[in-house]
Amino acid sequence: MRRRSVSLGILIASAITLAMLVLASVLVFQGYRGMSSGLVSAASQSTRQLSTTLNDRLKAATEPTRSALRILAHDPLTRASSLPERQARLPVLAETLRTNELVTAAYVGYPNGDFFLLREAATATLQERFNAPPNARFLLQTVTQNGETVGEWHFFNANLERLTRQAKPDYRFDPRTRGWFSQATVSEDTILAGPYVFFTTRDIGITLARQSATNRAVVGLDVTLSDLSQQLTGLKLTPGTQMAVVDGTRTVIAHPELHRLMAANDNDGLARLPDLTSPALAGIPEQTLRTSQPQPFRANGQDWFGMIVPLSDLGTDKLSLRLAIPSQELLAGAWQVVRGQALIAAAILIVLLLLGWFLGRRIGQPLKHLAGQVDELAHFRFDTGIDTSSRIREAGELARALSSMANTIRGFQRLALTLNREQRLDVMLQGVLEQLIRVLGRHSGAIYLLDRKTHVLNRAAECQAGHHPEQLDPVDTTTDDETLVDRLRSELGEQSVFSILRDRENHLLGALVIDLTPDDETLDRDLITFVSEVAGSAAVAIETRQLIQSQRDLLDGVIHLVADAIDAKSPYTSGHCERVPQLAEMIIDSARHQTGGDFADFHMNDSEAYEFHIAAWLHDCGKITSPEYVVDKATKLETIHNRIHEIRTRFEVLHRDSHIRYLQARLKGEPEAAAREIRDREQAALQRDFRVIAETNLGGEALEDETIATIHRIGDRTWLRHFSDRIGLSQEEERRLPDMPEPHGPVVERLLDDKPQHLVPWGDRVPPVRPDDPHNRWGFDMALPPYSYHFGERYNLTIPRGTLTPEERFHINDHIVQTIRLLDNLPLPEHLSRVPRLAGTHHERMDGEGYPYRLHGSAMTIPEKAMAVADVFEALTAVDRPYKRGKTLSEALGIMAKMVWEGHLDGTVFRLFLEGGIYRQYGERFLHADQQDDVNHDDLLSRAGFSDQAPTR
């Protein structure tokens, strides 16, 4: 067992230090007791001085008021029976208010319920509360009982000149219901009511009232107690001191925080002590009333000193001042003295310790210093410097060896950090090479990587540029490492260490070259082994990053494959999925390089840019699920085929029926000319009607009501069907047939009809796009048509504009829902988690009328807004659509400016798109020369709603 050793310096100083420690502890303890006792006594004296101040304040609030009240009790105002007579005595009340600053209102209550009150309204707070006119000094509140209760407010200036008179129907104050009135009528002396909350001002105070000399009225004065709370605020002994004036019922009369005086559940009552949520004030022991010193107690997990001091009577139960001081704050001075004494004692102890340790440190300090530095290394703090100033040779050699070891370990740390964290292959290789050369104490080296197609070794990293060729001749990848090293040595020289880099399948990746110095006469076997081991780790890291890059390239290839497949699926979207992402990335690149304006704070790192790149290329991947005949629907009657041919056949039947009727008329012997005229007229009408149907089927122009009526008229024609319409059907068609027996033929059919079997229900494939759909976990907010499809002939032909029904329009828009759902089901890594959102919001509008989320512009990010702009611009300018010509730059930008004004596109992104010349760069790459016309920026910005620098809308 290892015996514990003791330092000589510690042993010498221990006895002196221990004696001084005991002496200092005794002195500090005695000083603390004396100081704390003095602080408690000072707190007691301050509390009693505070109670004296409060008593004086209470007397100042009541004594002058009592005198004024005795005078007012004899004033003719108490005998006046009409409002004019009472107003004549206003100067008396006004003077009372002026000479008694604590009196807030003077009033008289009459036995018949009349009330006459004058209060000052000169402060801004009172004027705002009473809605007083300018220059108002006094407010007269009157209630008269002339068969009915009439309440009025009169505002007077300082000269008692009336400014306004306001009728107050809701002011129905009856003094006879108030406690001060009833108490004064049964008392011959001045009574004191309260404290309570005043009826009109909601202030807190007391009322002094007295019956008039004629016993016909009661005179009262309201005295505010707000200054008591202000007194408490200014007389806190410590910041955390809690004080309150309470009566015998524990009702709070004054508190430093005025807003806490009101009871939370009673608009007309004062808070009681438990309502203050102050455990300290409520927990002061009642026995402190019988002591002269603050008593310690504990409340709410904290130590306090508490004291209860009686105050003058205020007409209610006995008042008292309750005061609670945090023990920590009260004794802070004592603790400060203790700390000072402790610091002095500590200083003395330190001096003694230094004196005792001096000789021991002179002998053992160098070794102890090295031991501490080695301990730092043992705790993985390899950046610790190893040095010593000892004159002992062995200590110096040990220090140099430890320093070399620490440097090597630090190099390994940096090397491992570079291998593990750096994502870019070129940066990682350069970092690994630099760290390895630093660890080995060499100056130059290089890393070569194999080109798998040409078998050429290309230089990927180099220290000391110019020492190594950029490319080596092709190598045989099937040869062994020794042969490859000989080949490299013949090209790069003998004075180097070579290590072949291979992956885990033993496939050649490249080579690591470390140049030796002229001082290295022979190759160190340990050096070669070390380089080979490091090369193995580097090879694994290279393989990993190459695999990651390969997977990334594969992902990009699959994404491009999907986009190309969608573009190839329909000529109506040809090239769209390829051009939109390129345009969107052009906008984002421009925004990333802005240093001022709306995009000064916009930043996007490489990972976020790649995430946006993926989302842009997949922004329409949901179109894979869109039915082709809906996407490519060129006529109104088109489904899988153009049903105009069915309609034409029916017209042919009617045309033939007309000729048959002509022949039958001839057989009956009717005049040939008359029969022919009827036939020709009917067949001409059929030709005209079919032309109307055929032209309407194109959907080129908006339908007018007259055309719609014509279609219904034509559709009401009938023809005879002799064959069953319920045989030769698919299961889906049979499910849509009405649940009724088939009528016997021949059946009269309308020329154009909307039949029940034309309605295709959603069934169990209802898209989860409604906000109340429990399966809608994506937050979609779209209107869902009642049916999946409506193939009704009249319904389709009477589409007001275009060729798509609302149901088909929904299926077109549903591609964005499918995009989000498809991408959300992918196991995307964290750095690609926003791809579904970025790809699925390019049809949102700034005014919240877009889809599928109905997002407002404030809820969209800059990349999402850029996607919307790119999608619209590409659609407007595309030149490879069979159904329209591509618009010129000025036409497309003019339409987009209108869309900005209407809340469709974001104005700031549109302005960047315009002023950054992005549209021009795109046009040079993808548009025809005749589309690239001149563009007037100022005009477009004005049409978009921009005025100078800011949009006006």
Side-chain angles (χ1 to χ4, degrees), residues 539-552:
V540 172
I542 293 171
E543 179 190 10
T544 300
R545 281 152 182 80
Q546 288 181 340
L547 286 174
I548 293 174
Q549 186 61 44
S550 298
Q551 291 177 349
R552 188 168 180 172

Side-chain angles (χ1 to χ4, degrees), residues 150-154 165-171:
V150 178
E152 294 181 331
W153 284 13
H154 308 258
R165 174 183 178 182
Q166 299 177 4
K168 294 289 184 178
D170 296 334
Y171 184 56

